[in-house]
Amino acid sequence: MAKNKFAKVKPINNFLLLTVLSVFQLGTGYLAAACGERFELRALIALALLVAAEWVYVIFFYTVFHRRNFELELIAFFLSGVGLAVIGSVYPESAFKQFFMVLAGIGAFTVLVFVLGNVDFCMKIRPIVAAGALLFLAVNVALGMFHKTNGAGNWIEIAGFKLQPSEFVKVLFIFVGAATLEKIQTSKNTILFIGFAVVCVGALIVIRDLGTALVFFVTFLIIVFMNSGDIKTVAAAVTSAGLGAAIILKYRAYAMRRFSSYRHVFDDPYGQGMQQTRVLVGIASGGLFGLGIGNGYVRTTAYAPVSDSIFGIICEEWGLLFGILLILSFVAIAISAIVNSIASRSAFYSIASVAGAGLLLFQCALNVFGITDILPLTGVTIPFVSLGGSSMISCWAILAFIKSSDVRTYNYLLGAKRKEVK
């Protein structure tokens, strides 16, 4: 009898990987703290707190819930740590705030993973989640008009706190789409989701958030593609084309201003092309291995250095090879989602997992390709890495969809069922 070629493959040693990651994060935290004129202890403490939180998380779920699949969390820890180190080196005063946002994201991830464990419950709360998404967007449209950033009204301010409702709606959008299309033979469900998607993208068009509208648009296509390949998909594709045309018409004047410097950024390096030219020069000067944390110029010359332009800082100071590793991290998340979706317990998990991974990968691509002038600049940030509380919580919550598609995540449920049978 032929031997199973995977029989000798050893499981991943999560604690060994976490140890390596911790050493890396503490090292980058020290370099981030020491890169300025004076030693900024806040940057190092923020990274140390993140390392402590990572160990508490892994040990708790390893011992209490007997989980052994921490690959996704380790990737997200890595990305969040890189972002925290860069932010701490540029704006030390924002290091603790970013850490607490990562902590909030981990909390949202943990809660949502437990919620997603019960498919029947998810189906029941689908209308409530859909209503919540529409309410978020309605508030954004109403209040976003009074607080515009770079022409877009995607930020609102409540009691001194700035929020980006569209980031939370990303999570709700995936949830509603996967829950609605879980029964793929129901035509009514497909029509309902198309209508829901039209309203969501339409609201983003109204507040002139082109980048997020594109992210929602692509996520919509992924969800519908995962649903089926019959006439419903054709109808959805026609609707998608209509949505795309509406976006182009609505943003014609606004988009043309952004397209005016596309592929010609060096023609106007002190005007429309300033941000991208600074980043491109920084990436070139950093070479393969970088200039070292704190030794670059993108951090002081580019607009929004730790949000839109953070990839430029990473490539210039950490090296192009590290920048490629950062991108491959999102590819790894996408591959994990595809592999998990094949053996998932329900179509709900498959759709939500692939849609979530596709959203994260596409948003990363929009940022990297936009800032390097391969695509027009849209203003979206890199998930997990860029500065931003709403985005950080949203990214971790989206990761929960991918985690829930892995059958190993709910081993404790299988154990409980075995006890009931006995």
Side-chain angles (χ1 to χ4, degrees):
M1 184 181 292
K3 294 183 178 180
N4 188 342
K5 63 180 180 179
F6 298 108
K8 295 183 178 180
V9 177
K10 295 182 179 179
I12 295 175
N13 190 325
N14 294 292
F15 291 102
L16 177 60
L17 289 178
L18 185 56
T19 300
V20 173
L21 178 61
S22 299
V23 172
F24 168 78
Q25 290 177 330
L26 290 174
T28 54
Y30 175 82
L31 294 174
C35 70
E37 295 181 357
R38 64 175 185 174
F39 192 84
E40 287 288 353
L41 194 58
R42 289 173 292 184
L44 179 57
I45 293 177
L47 264 298
L49 289 173
L50 177 61
V51 169
E54 293 167 356
W55 278 95
V56 169
Y57 174 89
V58 172
I59 291 173
F60 176 78
F61 283 99
Y62 187 93
T63 56
V64 177
F65 292 95
H66 307 290
R67 284 186 189 168
R68 301 295 183 265
N69 57 326
F70 294 99
E71 300 87 356
L72 281 174
E73 290 96 319
L74 290 174
I75 294 175
F77 288 152
F78 165 72
L79 293 170
S80 300
V82 170
L84 185 54
V86 175
I87 293 165
S89 70
V90 179
Y91 300 130
E93 65 277 7
S94 298
F96 286 126
K97 179 183 177 181
Q98 185 71 358
F99 162 72
F100 285 118
M101 291 301 101
V102 175
L103 206 60
I106 296 173
F109 168 83
T110 303
V111 171
L112 189 54
V113 167
F114 279 108
V115 171
L116 294 172
N118 189 332
V119 179
D120 293 334
F121 178 73
C122 292
M123 297 303 111
K124 291 178 181 178
I125 65 172
R126 180 190 63 189
I128 299 174
V129 174
L134 297 178
L135 179 61
F136 264 120
L137 288 173
V139 172
N140 200 167
V141 171
L143 301 182
M145 299 300 177
F146 303 100
H147 189 279
K148 291 189 177 182
T149 304
N150 297 324
N154 53 338
W155 288 91
I156 64 173
E157 186 171 348
I158 301 177
F161 292 95
K162 290 184 179 180
L163 301 172
Q164 200 169 356
S166 59
E167 290 293 334
F168 302 119
V169 177
K170 288 177 183 177
V171 183
L172 306 181
F173 185 82
I174 294 173
F175 186 100
V176 172
T180 303
L181 301 181
E182 195 268 342
K183 297 180 180 180
I184 60 177
Q185 300 301 322
T186 306
S187 301
K188 179 182 177 181
N189 285 355
T190 304
I191 296 173
L192 287 173
F193 179 60
I194 291 175
F196 177 72
V198 169
V199 174
C200 289
V201 176
L204 294 170
I205 292 174
V206 171
I207 62 176
R208 300 170 68 85
D209 190 356
L210 175 59
T212 306
L214 286 174
V215 171
F216 270 73
F217 180 70
V218 170
T219 305
F220 166 75
L221 291 178
I222 294 173
I223 292 174
V224 172
F225 175 78
M226 287 292 295
N227 177 38
S228 68
D230 57 9
I231 189 64
K232 292 180 290 185
T233 305
V234 176
V238 173
T239 305
S240 300
L243 286 172
I247 292 174
I248 293 173
L249 291 174
K250 177 67 180 180
Y251 281 106
R252 184 171 54 187
Y254 176 66
M256 286 305 296
R257 289 197 297 271
R258 294 203 172 202
F259 273 92
S260 62
S261 61
Y262 173 55
R263 306 301 297 168
H264 300 285
V265 292
F266 283 98
D267 292 345
D268 188 15
Y270 299 103
Q272 290 291 330
M274 184 182 71
Q275 186 174 3
Q276 289 139 304
T277 54
R278 300 298 187 273
V279 170
L280 289 170
V281 171
I283 292 175
S285 63
L288 293 177
F289 304 104
L291 302 175
I293 296 178
N295 297 325
Y297 293 96
V298 173
R299 60 173 54 228
T300 58
T301 59
Y303 172 76
V306 294
S307 53
D308 296 9
S309 305
I310 197 168
F311 186 72
I313 295 179
I314 291 171
C315 289
E316 182 183 26
E317 300 182 6
W318 302 50
L320 181 60
L321 291 179
F322 192 88
I324 294 174
L325 176 63
L326 197 78
I327 298 172
L328 291 178
S329 298
F330 290 97
V331 176
I333 292 175
I335 293 174
S336 176
I338 294 172
V339 172
N340 291 342
S341 67
I342 296 173
S344 62
R345 296 184 295 153
S346 166
F348 170 74
Y349 294 119
S350 298
I351 296 172
S353 175
V354 175
L359 186 153
L360 294 175
L361 182 61
F362 180 69
Q363 184 171 323
C364 174
L366 274 183
N367 177 277
V368 173
F369 293 154
I371 206 68
T372 54
D373 202 33
I374 297 174
L375 291 175
L377 192 62
T378 57
V380 299
T381 55
I382 299 182
F384 299 105
V385 180
S386 298
L387 176 67
S390 301
S391 175
M392 182 64 71
I393 296 173
S394 168
C395 292
W396 273 98
I398 290 172
L399 196 71
F401 291 118
I402 307 170
K403 183 74 174 180
S404 66
S405 68
D406 189 341
V407 292
R408 298 173 296 170
T409 300
Y410 300 107
N411 281 333
Y412 66 94
L413 292 177
L414 297 177
K417 288 182 179 179
R418 292 192 189 101
K419 290 181 180 179
E420 290 178 1
V421 171
K422 290 181 180 180

